[in-house]
Amino acid sequence: MATVYNRKTTGLFENGAGQKGDNSNFTWMSRRTTAGDYLSNGGSFFVGDNVYGSGAIGSQYIPVDTSKVYQLAYSIKTITQSYNSRNGSGHIGYATYDENKNFIELRNCKGAGDTTLTRAASPGDTTIYVANASGFSVSTTSHQRGFMLFGGDYPYSEGYTRYWVPNDAYPTNGLTDLGGGEWSITLNSGLPTWSAALDANGDYPIGTYISNGRAGGTYNYAMGAPVYPQTWTTYSAICTGTTRGSGAAFRHGTKFIKFMNLRNYNYRSEQAGDSARYVIDNLFFGEIPSVNHALPTSFLQSNRFK
Amino acid sequence: MEYIEVDGEYFVIDDGLLDPNGEPTWILITREEYEENT
């Protein structure tokens, strides 16, 4: 069975298994070469400083075709426990970016309160009319009352947009069922001008896609927030398709991803002494033939990463 | 640090940990952790 995926190195992470003999692309970690503390290429990435819940994002933008199936896998081992006898821990997964390398958050993705304009709207309007606003949040927290509009060439209309009012777009009493399949939404500020989404009349036309912007999980916590054992453990997820979410599936509009780890986040409040130390190795992100063809742990923990 | 439940999921909004847009990071937590802190 071939073990080379996509190119000459194993998977799409550059230096994901320390092939370069250094910590490039993962500079917040050092290199650990103690026998048994690495899986391949003579060294692993070592979280060897005191860190109490800080984030770490890889520097490499890895291109993604969301119509394909990928496997994401990180192998991790706690080296020393914290002063409080805690193993290393924290969220692992990835961060998503669009084709211009803008970070994608949930308030850029359709999937909450999706509806369409029933009347043309113009920049500056403070009331818009939609087919159904029953799915819009009336939460008192402003980050649940965002607003998105889809259209134009870019941002495009495949469930992702940069045409957004992220917070407090409408008041909690701003949604009214007018009957007959129409609702009004009263906006707190005039509708912005997003030129590429306007028609020849300078309007957002009937049928323009509208969604409720609601903040939620910042990153894709694809492999959860485990506590890392003191033996090598491989965490793996299958990533394919797009959605509005913070799990393994890609977000709408994803064209690139980056490595993500929230270091020692599970015990972030325990800061009276040294934090846990752990190593990461054999970072893998690569296309696989189908969801039924995930690479086995025996390979992911092997010294066959090139 | 704010603990919040949204649509059946539980988060801590960590203003000491900024996302790539410079906003506080929303971090998925368990219901147990949410209940311990609220």
Side-chain angles (χ1 to χ4, degrees):
Chain A
M1 176 182 175
T3 55
V4 176
Y5 281 74
N6 305 310
R7 58 182 192 166
K8 292 181 180 178
T9 56
T10 308
L12 296 169
F13 276 113
E14 291 178 0
N15 201 37
Q19 292 95 329
K20 295 181 179 179
D22 60 23
N23 66 345
S24 55
N25 288 333
F26 307 95
T27 54
W28 62 91
M29 297 184 280
S30 58
R31 182 170 169 86
R32 186 173 177 90
T33 57
T34 305
D37 292 349
Y38 64 85
L39 295 173
S40 59
N41 300 299
S44 58
F45 299 113
F46 184 35
V47 178
D49 300 319
N50 283 327
V51 285
Y52 307 98
S54 66
I57 306 295
S59 58
Q60 180 195 3
Y61 291 94
I62 304 175
V64 165
D65 177 346
T66 58
S67 69
K68 296 181 177 178
V69 181
Y70 297 86
Q71 183 176 6
L72 178 68
Y74 306 152
S75 293
I76 309 179
K77 182 177 87 162
T78 291
I79 298 297
T80 54
Q81 292 184 312
S82 73
Y83 77 96
N84 214 13
S85 301
R86 306 292 197 184
N87 284 1
S89 69
H91 300 62
I92 44 179
Y94 63 93
T96 56
Y97 299 83
D98 73 6
E99 64 185 16
N100 289 332
K101 297 179 179 173
N102 295 308
F103 177 65
I104 300 171
E105 67 147 274
L106 294 182
R107 285 173 293 183
N108 300 123
C109 296
K110 75 174 184 181
D114 298 350
T115 188
T116 54
L117 290 178
T118 52
R119 306 184 196 184
S122 302
D125 283 356
T126 53
T127 301
I128 61 172
Y129 299 89
V130 299
N132 188 350
S134 63
F136 272 54
S137 174
V138 291
S139 168
T140 56
T141 50
S142 64
H143 48 58
Q144 300 301 297
R145 287 181 284 108
F147 166 82
M148 279 175 278
L149 184 146
F150 297 78
D153 297 325
Y154 178 80
Y156 38 90
S157 300
E158 298 171 0
Y160 170 70
T161 186
R162 301 300 294 185
Y163 301 149
W164 60 324
V165 179
N167 299 311
D168 202 27
Y170 55 92
T172 56
N173 62 354
L175 310 175
T176 304
D177 185 356
L178 303 176
E182 186 173 63
W183 290 60
S184 65
I185 302 175
T186 302
L187 304 177
N188 284 327
S189 299
L191 198 56
T193 300
W194 293 305
S195 299
L198 296 170
D199 65 12
N201 298 319
D203 294 329
Y204 302 111
I206 294 171
T208 296
Y209 218 94
I210 302 290
S211 290
N212 179 197
R214 298 184 197 169
T218 294
Y219 298 113
N220 285 74
Y221 307 112
M223 289 92 91
V227 175
Y228 317 136
Q230 295 180 58
T231 55
W232 281 107
T233 302
T234 297
Y235 302 95
S236 177
I238 302 297
C239 309
T240 187
T242 63
T243 189
R244 177 191 181 277
S246 301
F250 301 112
R251 289 181 178 168
H252 298 306
T254 300
K255 297 297 182 184
F256 298 94
I257 69 163
K258 283 184 170 186
F259 169 91
M260 185 280 301
N261 176 214
L262 304 184
R263 297 170 293 172
N264 287 322
Y265 201 82
N266 299 29
Y267 304 111
R268 61 192 175 280
S269 64
E270 299 178 7
Q271 300 184 11
D274 286 344
S275 64
R277 266 65 167 158
Y278 59 92
V279 286
I280 306 178
D281 205 354
N282 286 8
L283 306 181
F284 179 80
F285 180 72
E287 186 184 344
I288 57 175
S290 79
V291 296
N292 299 316
H293 290 81
L295 293 169
T297 298
S298 59
F299 172 76
L300 294 168
Q301 289 190 13
S302 77
N303 63 359
R304 297 163 65 193
F305 274 56
K306 304 301 179 188
Chain B
M1 196 85 78
E2 178 186 358
Y3 291 82
I4 187 170
E5 182 267 329
V6 176
D7 298 333
E9 292 187 310
Y10 302 90
F11 300 95
V12 54
I13 305 175
D14 192 335
D15 52 13
L17 197 60
L18 301 182
D19 74 13
N21 288 335
E23 296 196 11
T25 300
W26 286 55
I27 297 161
L28 199 61
I29 58 173
T30 62
R31 178 175 179 173
E32 290 71 28
E33 184 173 355
Y34 171 79
E35 291 177 343
E36 286 171 6
N37 289 280
T38 55

